[in-house]
Amino acid sequence: MSKPVSMQEMVSSRTEAAADDAEIMAKVAAFDTPSVGIFNKDGLGMDPALKHYSRDDADGLHPKASLKPGILPSVLHNIGNTPLVRCSRLAEAEGIKCELLAKCEFFNSGGSVKDRIARRMVEEAERDGRLIPGVSTIIEPTSGNTGIGLALAAAVKGYRCIIVMPMKMSQEKVDVLRGLGAEIVRTPTEAAWNSPESHVTQALRLEKEIPHAVVLDQYSNPNNPLAHYDGTAEELIEQCDGKIDYLVAGAGTGGTISGIARKLKEKVPGIQVVGVDPYGSILAQPAELNETDITGYQIEGIGYDFLPKVLDRTSVDIWRKSKDIDAFNMSRKLIRLEGLLCGGSCGSAMSAAVEFCKTLPADKRVVVVLPDSTRNYMSKFLNDAWMEDNNFIESQFDPELQAEWWFNEPVSNMPQNFPITLNCSISCEGAAKIMAKEDFNQMPVIGDDGQIVGIASEANLMTKMIQKKLKGTDPISGAVYKDFKQVDTTETVGNISRMLDKEHFVLVVSKQRCYTSEGEASEKLTIYSIVTRADVWTFMNSRKSGESTPAE
Ligand SMILES: Cc1ncc(COP(=O)(O)O)c(C=O)c1O
């Protein structure tokens, strides 16, 4: 009997085919048509025919907290009615006079604001017959939290669930999803939203291939913003007795901010809505705000390279851009000062809010939405080493170590070893033989243009060949990994020694400007050297005590 093909393998083998599939690519292109916005004032989300739920109906989707029964029928009934917490310690530490409140969405059953939309999208699809428990498969492209919300609903209600998620998203999210029984397909972080490899395209492709599969599509499903319009916003109005001056929230699909903003604008006179978007994303307005050299960001859940249809930018009065470093440090502050065990995008919203609040008088009230939990980022921003590795906090070195002569030397002062590299077209078999001959267990792989493609490791190569994921004749470029430490020639030996606590080697690269035609220059990274622990050790011992220059 042939081995079952995993979802990930199915997707990888179909990526090229997807490029040719006109039907899927047309659906993908439709993701970026904000002019037919779902939640615009006259869009589908505001259609009077759509169902709304009264807060006074205990069996509705958004009942008041006071209507909750003592024993819940399932954990899905513990979604919504999240606490609003005053952040006085943070306000004091930041010199803020106004009242700063946090809407803590990480108390939802699945740990995020997305549980709200997941339950609503599933239950509406059940109502209109699109989803049938035990028959349908739920598929969703997501940055993880909608996936967790859907997987939670799928576990409770009995659906197969497939989550398609970019590689960037944390391992913690993957583990929670697996725990909930979801199948996971990872897609390249750098894939543009409308490319054949993107999470959006892959999800639509799987929907076409798997019988009874449904993509609920948080990007254009009106129940995404409606969950916040009928639920989150009503809760805020009740919790604040109608007094809110500013609402601050990050935007991903835009469902949270658009849904809350629309209701607050209907019921709270004078409310101003502040949207937060990371540098590297294009959601903020005016467009000039988005101009930056930053191409990627580590914050998960907010920002996109297209305009989701559920995002109604007319409901946002002011946009603020956020940087990873400010966001992660603010999340850590929220945890330390307020005991709020929140995630990274909470820091994006809160750091923008804090800057904003500094200009406000004491009688103003600002509500900030905190979308998810620290649980998703235990190995990321909560971890000091991760923060140091990503230059989000200064490395904490022993002062005695820092006083050593070699500590602040640039790595370019170390003797340069001329690394041996592999061309990307060499076969896997050939690469394995070269590594054995040269006695290296990993080697950099270089493209025909001299640029670094990645690192080939003997262990990775062997595993893939044994598992028959690669043939010996396949080019080595298919077996490289890109998750390695890379520094430029000015990096200090001290910092590199710290990196080598965890890495086997650090790749030192130098930049070149390369003219491809007259007047057109591009930047090219080439390998300067590879530094291992043994190299640092030799360098440290190259100068005898009291000498001012390294020993010859
Ligand atoms: C951690 C986190 N923050 C913020 C958001 C943004 O929410 P929305 O998609 O409603 O804009 C998301 C969405 O996935 C998220 O996962």
Side-chain angles (χ1 to χ4, degrees):
M1 208 175 83
S2 64
K3 195 171 133 273
V5 180
S6 77
M7 202 58 57
Q8 187 76 51
E9 285 166 339
M10 190 163 151
V11 162
S12 318
S13 69
R14 300 290 164 78
T15 296
E16 274 174 27
D20 307 326
D21 195 321
E23 189 190 326
I24 290 175
M25 295 320 278
K27 272 194 183 173
V28 172
F31 268 62
D32 192 26
T33 45
S35 55
V36 292
I38 293 293
F39 207 61
N40 294 351
K41 285 224 161 51
D42 43 4
L44 178 63
M46 287 291 99
D47 184 341
L50 270 165
K51 185 163 168 59
H52 288 276
Y53 297 87
S54 158
R55 294 276 291 154
D56 294 318
D57 176 0
D59 297 323
L61 269 180
H62 308 287
K64 287 180 181 165
S66 55
L67 297 175
K68 250 166 77 167
I71 297 173
L72 300 177
S74 84
V75 78
L76 299 181
H77 291 76
N78 188 43
I79 294 172
N81 294 313
T82 53
L84 187 63
V85 176
R86 185 171 290 118
C87 299
S88 346
R89 281 151 295 269
L90 179 67
E92 194 185 332
E94 298 285 346
I96 289 168
K97 293 192 194 69
C98 68
E99 191 182 16
L100 184 59
L101 305 177
K103 179 74 169 158
C104 299
E105 288 299 304
F106 47 87
F107 286 110
N108 283 309
S109 288
S112 90
V113 69
K114 294 299 196 155
D115 295 349
R116 294 175 181 267
I117 72 157
R119 182 180 172 203
R120 177 132 181 185
M121 291 194 303
V122 167
E123 298 201 348
E124 289 304 306
E126 285 175 342
R127 254 171 31 92
D128 66 24
R130 273 183 84 201
L131 279 182
I132 304 164
V135 175
S136 312
T137 294
I138 298 173
I139 302 178
E140 189 71 15
T142 154
S143 59
N145 281 326
T146 304
I148 293 172
L150 288 171
L152 194 80
V156 171
K157 289 168 173 283
Y159 292 102
R160 180 182 178 199
C161 181
I162 301 170
I163 298 305
V164 190
M165 191 165 76
M167 288 303 296
K168 168 175 139 178
M169 309 312 164
S170 71
Q171 187 59 37
E172 287 85 338
K173 286 180 184 165
V174 173
D175 292 340
V176 171
L177 283 165
R178 289 228 167 91
L180 287 166
E183 294 156 69
I184 300 157
V185 173
R186 307 300 299 266
T187 58
T189 300
E190 57 289 353
W193 64 273
N194 54 356
S195 68
E197 302 84 21
S198 82
H199 65 318
V200 170
T201 311
Q202 294 299 350
L204 293 175
R205 165 153 283 278
L206 288 171
E207 184 189 35
K208 196 175 165 203
E209 291 178 353
I210 297 172
H212 308 294
V214 175
V215 172
L216 292 168
D217 180 11
Q218 57 171 337
Y219 300 97
S220 61
N221 191 322
N223 291 296
N224 171 358
L226 283 177
H228 300 292
Y229 179 84
D230 287 341
T232 327
E234 292 285 356
E235 290 169 27
L236 283 173
I237 294 165
E238 286 162 23
Q239 286 168 315
C240 291
D241 259 338
K243 157 130 178 95
I244 310 174
D245 297 292
Y246 295 91
L247 182 279
V248 184
T253 65
T256 307
I257 195 162
S258 308
I260 298 178
R262 175 74 53 76
K263 181 58 70 66
L264 292 186
K265 288 190 170 214
E266 283 169 13
K267 291 201 168 173
V268 181
I271 178 102
Q272 292 278 290
V273 174
V274 184
V276 183
D277 183 40
Y279 278 107
S281 159
I282 58 135
L283 303 183
Q285 280 182 313
E288 302 84 74
L289 278 182
N290 302 321
E291 284 167 14
T292 174
D293 293 337
I294 298 172
T295 49
Y297 48 91
Q298 298 257 24
I299 288 290
E300 298 178 31
I302 55 171
Y304 273 106
D305 57 349
F306 70 99
L307 295 173
K309 280 191 222 140
V310 294
L311 169 64
D312 173 20
R313 295 196 293 177
T314 62
S315 63
V316 180
D317 301 289
I318 304 160
W319 284 96
R320 288 279 188 265
K321 298 295 285 189
S322 78
K323 287 196 183 130
D324 282 347
I325 187 167
D326 302 328
F328 289 128
N329 280 295
M330 182 55 77
S331 293
R332 286 163 70 104
K333 231 180 209 178
L334 269 168
I335 295 172
R336 200 170 61 250
L337 294 180
E338 300 291 350
L340 296 175
L341 293 173
C342 64
S345 72
C346 304
S348 308
M350 190 54 90
S351 62
V354 160
E355 283 318 303
F356 193 74
C357 287
K358 286 181 180 163
T359 61
L360 298 179
D363 64 340
K364 297 292 178 198
R365 176 178 277 173
V366 179
V367 171
V368 185
V369 179
L370 304 187
D372 78 343
S373 155
T374 321
R375 178 204 65 194
N376 283 341
Y377 312 99
M378 304 295 274
S379 65
K380 289 193 157 183
F381 79 83
L382 201 61
N383 180 287
D384 285 348
W386 186 90
M387 289 290 280
E388 284 177 17
D389 283 353
N390 286 281
N391 297 322
F392 295 141
I393 56 172
E394 294 253 324
S395 296
Q396 303 295 313
F397 288 111
D398 176 350
E400 259 183 53
L401 198 64
Q402 257 171 315
E404 293 283 346
W405 70 268
W406 50 268
F407 195 92
N408 287 315
E409 293 285 317
V411 64
S412 54
N413 281 0
M414 286 178 69
Q416 187 182 4
N417 57 25
F418 293 98
I420 306 176
T421 58
L422 296 167
N423 182 280
C424 61
S425 58
I426 287 178
S427 68
C428 290
E429 215 165 43
K433 280 188 192 149
I434 295 168
M435 280 196 241
K437 185 173 129 219
E438 296 288 346
D439 200 19
F440 287 139
N441 48 21
Q442 49 216 342
M443 287 174 84
V445 176
I446 305 296
D448 288 331
D449 56 357
Q451 299 254 45
I452 304 155
V453 173
I455 300 289
S457 93
E458 201 176 35
N460 187 28
L461 204 57
M462 290 303 159
T463 314
K464 285 199 162 155
M465 290 208 289
I466 289 166
Q467 291 176 349
K468 301 221 182 314
K469 287 187 176 159
L470 275 176
K471 293 198 290 287
T473 49
D474 286 341
I476 188 67
S477 54
V480 298
Y481 67 91
K482 296 177 191 249
D483 188 17
F484 55 89
K485 273 275 161 219
Q486 181 174 300
V487 298
D488 70 28
T489 48
T490 59
E491 187 57 272
T492 62
V493 176
N495 277 337
I496 290 179
S497 73
R498 167 64 71 94
M499 293 172 201
L500 288 168
D501 286 344
K502 279 185 289 168
E503 309 285 334
H504 294 299
F505 67 91
V506 171
L507 203 63
V508 184
V509 296
S510 58
K511 279 187 194 152
Q512 288 177 5
R513 267 165 43 89
C514 171
Y515 275 91
T516 44
S517 65
E518 210 181 314
E520 217 183 291
S522 64
E523 209 166 73
K524 196 168 139 179
L525 288 181
T526 52
I527 300 180
Y528 175 85
S529 67
I530 297 179
V531 179
T532 63
R533 237 169 278 169
D535 298 326
V536 172
W537 179 246
T538 309
F539 185 63
M540 283 160 57
N541 292 306
S542 63
R543 187 190 292 187
K544 293 189 198 89
S545 150
E547 269 180 0
S548 58
T549 53
E552 290 299 315

